[in-house]
Amino acid sequence: MSQADTRQAPTRQAHNHDHKVVATAPREASPIHDDFWVASGHHLVDRGEEGGLVITDAFLAAYLARPELVPPEEACPVERGLHASLLAEPRRVVPPDELALVADEDARENLGYFLAFRDHLLAHPTLEAAYLALVTRGKPRLPVIFMGHLAHVIARNAFDEVTDGWALRAAECFYRAQRLTFHEGRALLADAETIETHEHDRTHSPLLSMLGGPAVSELEVLNDTNAGTYRARSDAHDLVLDITDLAGGRAAMARAMTRWIAHLTGIAIEFTPVERFSGHDFGWFLSLDQDGTAFSNKVWRGENLEDEEASRVLALFTFTLPDHPRLEAGKRGAAGFAVLGSSADRFVRIKPQNLIAGLPLAAGE
């Protein structure tokens, strides 16, 4: 079961510069509901006739405004000229020998990654098609930041008409790292950056430090009452997902997984959260994250998990592969299981590409 292979992005010191980004007509948000996940940049893309997202110059230009690509004052003339020309014409072909003239090694590498990403997107009719190609073929090899951005904007499209705040909060985990906290008998997932901010504030506030309790206790836990507010506050990442109960956060994760796979492949797979595996003869499995993959492989081989490993299994799901032409004929109807795990330092980093790359897709798919 293949998993998508990606690389970490190189870093470069950020510089603050004001640059004008030429935008095309944005895609309007649905007038039926509050807009959400605005940071995905979904306003900068169009939607095709079949529902997929179509790339625009504005979407590409937004990347050129990122600090990794904006030339600092000391940048060489070639770098500054290349950046300016791409801002004016984001689809312009850049020959390798022109890129090679950029003096700064980090700048040259970052621009190279951007151009490879851009060319990959332009080679496909929709962002969804480009994402599928990356997931199933593993080429070109790109920094993980690009996979995260694609997952974010594609998820925004996939969940466009969803009003279920539980499922939306679960899907937020597809593109935002989470911190796991066990508090008062509950297993809570909170946005990692939000928790980091709260912990930083505590170090500078004697009053907050005296209050005690984990940082997650300062945030609001998602429930049936406040779930209706999720869309309006989604970009604040300040709602905590309780995954303790089967019918709560785990069921929400199951619904999010189903919708994600269906949007990208057209295959409807219903996931059922369970407390344990018993009486099942599994013919396939999926894992939602790197740690879940390690645990799943042991279960698949019939091995028992160590106590420490078992404590890091956050959710188990069962499913049945449907009779769908995009799946291998011999796997249709097979029972499967899926695992969500956490790292030893209690981070949860879901890789939504695993839900696609791990499927037994038929040859040619």
Side-chain angles (χ1 to χ4, degrees):
M1 299 179 190
S2 63
Q3 307 295 340
D5 185 16
T6 51
R7 299 178 58 188
Q8 293 290 338
T11 58
R12 186 186 188 191
Q13 183 178 359
H15 301 266
N16 292 323
H17 295 276
D18 293 327
H19 286 267
K20 180 179 179 181
V21 176
V22 181
T24 60
R27 181 176 67 84
E28 294 184 357
S30 169
I32 301 175
H33 311 296
D34 294 326
D35 198 2
F36 67 105
W37 296 346
V38 176
S40 68
H42 74 102
H43 293 95
L44 300 177
V45 294
D46 294 324
R47 181 179 286 143
E49 293 182 359
E50 297 184 0
L53 298 179
V54 179
I55 195 172
T56 65
D57 286 357
F59 184 78
L60 294 174
Y63 278 94
L64 294 164
R66 290 183 59 88
E68 299 92 339
L69 293 178
V70 173
E73 293 181 0
E74 66 273 16
C76 72
V78 174
E79 179 184 348
R80 299 182 71 84
L82 177 56
H83 185 269
S85 69
L86 285 171
L87 270 178
E89 189 181 351
R91 303 177 193 234
R92 183 175 81 81
V93 175
V94 178
D97 56 349
E98 180 180 356
L99 181 62
L101 294 175
V102 174
D104 185 85
E105 182 178 356
D106 286 342
R108 191 165 60 249
E109 186 174 38
N110 289 348
L111 282 166
Y113 279 130
F114 164 72
L115 291 171
F117 178 64
R118 179 204 67 175
D119 292 345
H120 180 78
L121 297 185
L122 292 175
H124 295 83
T126 64
L127 295 185
E128 284 87 348
Y131 183 83
L132 282 172
L134 285 171
V135 167
T136 57
R137 301 171 193 167
K139 295 179 180 180
R141 296 185 64 189
L142 295 169
V144 294
I145 189 172
F146 291 115
M147 295 297 292
H149 290 169
L150 278 181
H152 194 179
V153 69
I154 291 172
R156 177 59 182 80
N157 191 31
F159 290 81
D160 186 55
E161 295 297 326
V162 174
T163 58
D164 176 4
W166 282 90
L168 291 172
R169 177 58 183 86
E172 185 181 312
C173 302
F174 289 177
Y175 62 90
R176 299 277 299 187
Q178 305 291 303
R179 276 275 295 275
L180 170 67
T181 302
F182 294 101
H183 181 57
E184 296 181 348
R186 315 300 292 178
L188 305 174
L189 292 183
D191 184 79
E193 289 189 9
T194 301
I195 288 295
E196 182 180 1
T197 298
H198 278 257
E199 290 178 340
H200 178 269
D201 291 343
R202 283 186 170 201
T203 62
H204 294 79
S205 171
L207 177 59
L208 286 176
S209 298
M210 287 185 352
L211 292 177
V216 72
S217 62
E218 300 170 15
L219 301 176
E220 189 175 351
V221 179
L222 186 72
N223 55 48
D224 290 336
T225 301
N226 62 22
T229 69
Y230 175 83
R231 290 176 67 114
R233 61 194 289 185
S234 62
D235 284 276
H237 308 297
D238 61 352
L239 280 169
V240 178
L241 182 66
D242 186 343
I243 60 167
T244 310
D245 300 325
L246 296 181
R250 296 192 210 177
M253 186 66 69
R255 297 194 297 276
M257 293 158 61
T258 294
R259 191 170 188 93
W260 175 255
I261 294 173
H263 178 75
L264 284 165
T265 69
I267 303 172
I269 300 177
E270 182 178 349
F271 293 88
T272 301
V274 295
E275 289 289 357
R276 61 185 59 84
F277 299 144
S278 61
H280 290 85
D281 183 16
F282 293 117
W284 204 256
F285 76 82
L286 296 170
S287 61
L288 279 78
D289 61 289
Q290 180 176 340
D291 299 280
T293 298
F295 305 150
S296 297
N297 280 322
K298 294 191 71 170
V299 173
W300 182 257
R301 295 192 299 263
E303 302 173 13
N304 293 323
L305 297 181
E306 301 293 335
D307 290 343
E308 188 273 338
E309 293 174 322
S311 70
R312 288 162 51 198
V313 175
L314 301 183
L316 303 173
F317 307 88
T318 59
F319 61 90
T320 300
L321 291 171
D323 183 9
H324 194 283
R326 297 194 72 179
L327 296 175
E328 292 180 10
K331 294 298 181 181
R332 299 171 196 171
F337 69 88
V339 176
L340 172 63
S342 68
S343 65
D345 54 357
R346 294 189 175 180
F347 277 88
V348 176
R349 299 179 178 90
I350 290 180
K351 299 172 68 176
Q353 62 265 36
N354 287 7
L355 294 173
I356 307 301
L359 290 175
L361 296 174
E365 292 293 339

